[in-house]
Amino acid sequence: MDYSDDDGMVDTDSGEESLLSDNQVDSDYEFTDQDVDNASTSKRSQISYFKEEDVRKHQRTDIEQVSTVLSISQVEAIVLLLHYQWNVSKVEDEWFTDEKKVRELVGMLKEPVVDLNDREVNIECGICFDSYTQKEVTTLSCGHPYCNVCWTGYITTTINDGPGCLTVKCPEPSCSAVTACQYMVDKVITDKELKEKYYRYFVRSYVEASGNKIKWCPSPGCEYAIDFASGSRSEHYDVSCLCSYEFCWNCGEDAHRPVDCDTVSKWISKNTDESENTNWILANTKPCPNCKRQIEKSMGCNHMGCSICKHSFCWNCLGPMKGHRNCHKFKGGNETDVKRKRAKRAIDRYMHYYERWASNQSSRLIAMADLKKLQSVQLKWLSIRQGTTESQLQFTVEAWRQIIECRRVLKWTYAYGYYLPEEEQTKKEFFEYLQGEAEAGLERLHHCAEEELKHFVFETQDSSKNFGDFRRKLTGLTEATKTYFENLVKALENGLADVALSESSKSKTKSKPATKRRKLK
């Protein structure tokens, strides 16, 4: 994208793509809007999708409007829009209220401080102090002259320093003049990568200025920006991008409904917390009785020898081996033993939930790869072998979409379960019942889609006779699994409130007969 200042005109790459809606999807993408999981909690009707070119067109429109209305060059319009976070109405209101104040605030001087109109040669650069002709120097609105070589070094440094390069101040320390960096980039920068870096900052400034109204998809390599404010907001923030990546609009992590952002944040922090290393050390090592260094038992024998101080001791009782007799008699646990057992239980509990959380994430990634393979290769084979159209085989795709979504939900239920208070036993039992039913259903569906489908795709013998039965089985499992997970999600989002209602109802039922008995007496 190249900008140039010719009588206020800004030229960009051509390309008349309009804002992408639900029915307008780039054909280059493997996953279209119709290919996104039907069980996804985000609703596309509430979301608008932008590509970078769409953002550029919006920028171009705003720049041209401000330039025309305020009768200023488009370079000056860019400076104003960047300063006012691309808020066109605010720019116009402030400008017409007090133009002089805005110019001073932004750094757009109306008259130059240094006038070079009558000087063609022997113009001294304010950085290197060499003399140049007027064609060899460039000035901002202030008129302070600097040679193009020095400008190149100055602009290069500002771009490498980050997004602050979008507006460039005059190198003169006492001068407040600024200009849009793109004007200088086009004039003195020849490095293609450096130019692209600047224009990425420029395009992204428009999205970032929207606050939380528009965000870039966090998936690496994705060029879509998403407007989640176009529809009615709900308590659910999971968003599915057209690139198929799902994330939470609120916290930016992977989509995690039905678990709230606070729980996800605590869980991710715990997974990277150094305290877990401490817990492992406490649970699986003991201190040498002599030098107090932590020692891990790596062999079966209880006769330990410290590699640091060479002290010999018993692993069980930590007593010296010299004169050691059996230590099998119970003498009561000390505080260290209690802490160690508590730490061992805590780490065992954590590993239970973490391993299953990670396992479902791994299974989900594999399922996504399997779905892509099915769509790109296997559907065509299956269509030929069964003598039917690919559209009539979409039930297989739906099954894999359901698997992917359910693996995502099931993964996060393990984080939910970890933070569910152990003393709330009734809730815990109800949660584990729902989770177990959902997981069992998912395993049946995943096995059917992963193993039984292979028979019809790869077997050379005629398998069309049993394909109808397979269709009914896979479709039924897909619907049943969807129901299991809908019930699980609903229960967790309600905070397992049905348990509280059930307990309250039981309490009332028990109290009524007691009251009647007292009356009969």
Side-chain angles (χ1 to χ4, degrees):
M1 183 176 76
D2 298 325
Y3 283 83
S4 60
D5 187 26
D6 287 328
D7 296 327
M9 292 302 294
V10 177
D11 298 324
T12 63
D13 294 338
S14 61
E16 295 304 317
E17 294 177 325
S18 60
L19 286 179
L20 293 178
S21 64
D22 295 358
N23 300 319
Q24 293 172 302
V25 184
D26 195 325
S27 60
D28 291 339
Y29 278 77
E30 180 71 26
F31 294 91
T32 64
D33 188 32
Q34 295 178 347
D35 288 331
V36 177
D37 190 352
N38 288 340
S40 173
T41 57
S42 59
K43 296 182 179 180
R44 288 286 172 83
S45 60
Q46 297 180 6
I47 306 172
S48 297
Y49 299 86
F50 303 79
K51 295 184 73 172
E52 285 195 12
E53 180 57 30
D54 301 316
V55 177
R56 291 171 186 158
K57 287 194 296 183
H58 276 273
Q59 287 181 304
R60 184 163 62 246
T61 299
D62 290 350
I63 292 166
E64 291 172 352
Q65 177 179 334
V66 170
S67 174
T68 301
V69 172
L70 304 188
S71 299
I72 57 178
S73 72
Q74 292 197 5
V75 169
E76 291 177 312
I78 292 172
V79 173
L80 288 173
L81 285 166
L82 287 169
H83 180 83
Y84 287 100
Q85 300 288 295
W86 293 94
N87 189 328
V88 174
S89 60
K90 189 171 183 180
V91 169
E92 294 174 355
D93 290 344
E94 295 284 332
W95 182 269
F96 289 119
T97 300
D98 193 337
E99 177 185 337
K100 182 178 179 181
K101 181 181 177 181
V102 170
R103 284 185 175 276
E104 290 177 354
L105 178 65
V106 176
M108 289 171 47
L109 305 186
K110 200 166 187 177
E111 300 294 335
V113 177
V114 179
D115 189 359
L116 300 177
N117 289 331
D118 59 342
R119 299 171 60 185
E120 295 292 333
V121 295
N122 297 326
I123 300 175
E124 185 180 83
C125 171
I127 294 178
C128 66
F129 302 109
D130 286 339
S131 295
Y132 298 90
T133 64
Q134 192 174 66
K135 292 182 179 180
E136 295 174 311
V137 300
T138 299
T139 65
L140 302 185
S141 58
C142 57
H144 290 118
Y146 301 96
C147 72
N148 292 336
V149 175
C150 289
W151 269 119
T152 299
Y154 182 63
I155 298 301
T156 299
T157 301
T158 60
I159 293 175
N160 287 329
D161 284 345
C165 68
L166 294 176
T167 53
V168 176
K169 289 189 65 175
C170 174
E172 169 60 43
S174 62
C175 183
S176 63
V178 299
T179 191
C181 186
Q182 61 86 19
Y183 167 72
M184 302 301 301
V185 166
D186 291 338
K187 186 163 185 176
V188 302
I189 299 296
T190 57
D191 187 309
K192 185 178 179 180
E193 289 186 5
L194 202 62
K195 279 190 173 185
E196 289 178 351
K197 188 174 184 179
Y198 166 77
Y199 285 118
R200 280 198 300 272
Y201 286 140
F202 186 74
V203 170
R204 289 184 173 267
S205 71
Y206 189 85
V207 172
E208 290 158 6
S210 71
N212 285 329
K213 182 183 177 183
I214 305 175
K215 292 182 179 180
W216 292 104
C217 172
S219 177
C222 180
E223 62 176 3
Y224 281 111
I226 302 172
D227 182 356
F228 191 48
S230 59
S232 58
R233 287 295 184 96
S234 69
E235 59 183 355
H236 309 307
Y237 292 97
D238 285 359
V239 175
S240 180
C241 180
L242 294 181
C243 72
S244 82
Y245 183 76
E246 296 181 346
F247 66 99
C248 173
W249 183 268
N250 188 47
C251 68
E253 296 290 347
D254 290 348
H256 52 73
R257 186 188 178 200
V259 180
D260 60 72
C261 296
D262 289 340
T263 300
V264 170
S265 177
K266 287 192 296 183
W267 178 252
I268 292 175
S269 296
K270 185 171 186 62
N271 293 343
T272 57
D273 193 350
E274 285 297 322
S275 67
E276 290 309 313
N277 294 333
T278 304
N279 282 339
W280 188 93
I281 291 171
L282 185 59
N284 296 279
T285 67
K286 292 183 179 181
C288 168
N290 186 51
C291 68
K292 307 304 181 185
R293 298 292 182 92
Q294 292 295 131
I295 298 174
E296 180 184 5
K297 187 172 184 287
S298 59
M299 299 180 69
C301 177
N302 289 322
H303 184 169
M304 304 297 295
C306 179
S307 60
I308 305 299
C309 68
K310 311 304 180 184
H311 178 66
S312 296
F313 63 96
C314 172
W315 175 258
N316 288 330
C317 67
L318 300 182
M321 289 304 302
K322 186 177 181 179
H324 181 269
R325 293 183 177 275
N326 292 335
C327 57
H328 60 282
K329 293 183 179 180
F330 178 73
K331 297 180 180 179
N334 57 36
E335 186 177 350
T336 302
D337 290 334
V338 172
K339 287 182 179 178
R340 184 175 293 108
K341 289 177 181 177
R342 189 182 298 124
K344 184 71 167 64
R345 183 184 182 282
I347 201 167
D348 286 346
R349 180 174 179 272
Y350 166 69
M351 289 306 299
H352 169 85
Y353 289 97
Y354 176 79
E355 286 174 356
R356 286 155 180 78
W357 178 85
S359 174
N360 278 286
Q361 170 64 359
S362 175
S363 296
R364 182 172 184 266
L365 294 176
I366 294 172
M368 292 173 72
D370 287 341
L371 173 58
K372 186 176 290 187
K373 190 186 301 180
L374 174 69
Q375 290 177 307
S376 61
V377 178
Q378 294 176 359
L379 270 186
K380 189 176 295 183
W381 294 354
L382 193 59
S383 174
I384 294 171
R385 289 181 54 75
Q386 298 301 324
T388 186
T389 63
E390 290 187 25
S391 62
Q392 291 178 311
L393 299 172
Q394 287 301 303
F395 72 94
T396 59
V397 175
E398 293 302 321
W400 277 108
R401 291 178 187 156
Q402 190 66 54
I403 290 167
I404 292 168
E405 171 64 8
C406 290
R407 287 293 177 194
R408 182 195 67 76
V409 173
L410 188 59
K411 176 183 80 168
W412 287 114
T413 63
Y414 280 102
Y416 183 98
Y418 180 78
Y419 290 104
L420 189 61
E422 292 189 73
E423 60 269 18
E424 297 186 20
Q425 190 61 33
T426 308
K427 278 191 175 183
K428 183 178 176 63
E429 290 175 359
F430 182 50
F431 161 73
E432 289 178 345
Y433 168 75
L434 292 174
Q435 185 189 49
E437 290 291 300
E439 186 164 18
L442 174 56
E443 291 300 334
R444 288 192 293 268
L445 173 62
H446 204 155
H447 180 270
C448 183
E450 190 172 48
E451 295 297 329
E452 297 182 35
L453 180 60
K454 290 180 182 178
H455 171 75
F456 300 99
V457 174
F458 299 112
E459 289 291 335
T460 55
Q461 62 184 13
D462 181 25
S463 58
S464 59
K465 295 179 181 179
N466 300 321
F467 190 70
D469 292 337
F470 170 74
R471 178 196 295 269
R472 285 187 289 275
K473 179 179 180 180
L474 187 61
T475 302
L477 287 174
T478 301
E479 289 301 316
T481 305
K482 180 180 179 181
T483 301
Y484 281 133
F485 275 84
E486 285 176 346
N487 292 336
L488 176 61
V489 168
K490 183 178 179 181
L492 298 192
E493 288 181 340
N494 289 337
L496 300 172
D498 289 344
V499 174
L501 290 173
S502 177
E503 289 182 334
S504 176
S505 177
K506 287 180 181 179
S507 177
K508 289 179 180 179
T509 303
K510 288 179 180 179
S511 64
K512 286 180 179 179
T515 303
K516 289 181 179 179
R517 283 195 296 271
R518 283 195 295 271
K519 287 181 178 180
L520 289 172
K521 289 178 181 179

